[in-house]
Amino acid sequence: MAILSRVEDQVEVPDRLPVVALRDLVFFPYVVLPILIGRHRSVAALEEAKECEDLVLLVAQKDPGIDDPAGPDLFRVGTIARVVQVTRLPDGTSRVVLEGVGRGRIKRLTTTTEALRASIDLFLPNETEVEENAEDDTLEQSCERVRRLYAEYARLHDRIPEELSGMLSANGDRLRFAHLVAGHLILPSVEKQEILEAESLGEQIELLREILVREIEILRIERKLDKQIQL
């Protein structure tokens, strides 16, 4: 049993957790989202989570087209998540509200059981900003730039509520801020996985800055082309 330190609490994480494989989705710590779960092994993982403090490991698939992924089909780093609510739907799937707790790394994956199960290590023992970053003015400026870039990204993107950017503040814990920004970007899984696996806050913030600058430029070009077509 490992202890994971977070901004507002500590969580005891078992050494083995049931695994839910995700298609086209990378889940991040501190993010709370509902997802639909219907595959047999994923449903079994939800049941097993009841014996693991309601915790599961969410891991993205490298190829979303694979129906029954095995070890080589999954990324090794995922997000430990708490099952908040499960609603069974008439079509047999479940709507599951999950809260990202922290990052975990798969040491060994068991695929012969009903649910995928993994022996894991914590990716980092603290999902909080380290003290040496607290007085880093350059990092503070970078976080504020990412906050402004995300506000512009949300304004330009049709699929993101613009008010969401106002809920993300760079004034609190900046690692939580980085996770929340990353969790609300619409990107290919492989790019979001790179952000998830960033080992330092500075690396994560720089990746976010580069991606946001690129995505904003693409969105502006698309808007410009749309206007030209309308004319």
Side-chain angles (χ1 to χ4, degrees), residues 179-203:
H179 284 323
L180 289 172
V181 170
H184 291 93
L185 289 173
I186 298 175
L187 293 171
S189 292
V190 66
E191 285 196 76
K192 296 187 82 169
Q193 186 70 28
E194 184 181 2
I195 301 171
L196 185 73
E197 295 186 18
E199 295 192 3
S200 72
L201 175 58
E203 181 185 354

Side-chain angles (χ1 to χ4, degrees), residues 20-85:
V20 175
L22 301 176
R23 303 181 197 256
D24 289 322
L25 176 64
V26 176
F27 215 95
F28 283 81
Y30 297 105
V31 170
V32 179
L33 280 178
I35 65 173
L36 291 177
I37 289 181
R39 287 186 285 183
H40 176 75
R41 277 191 152 174
S42 297
V43 173
L46 287 179
E47 287 299 315
E48 292 193 14
K50 296 174 183 177
E51 302 173 6
C52 300
E53 310 294 331
D54 288 324
L55 296 176
V56 294
L57 181 67
L58 305 176
V59 183
Q61 294 182 203
K62 296 175 182 178
D63 179 356
I66 296 176
D67 286 329
D68 189 15
D73 306 314
L74 302 174
F75 289 103
R76 306 307 287 180
V77 175
T79 293
I80 301 157
R82 181 181 290 112
V83 179
V84 177
Q85 183 183 57

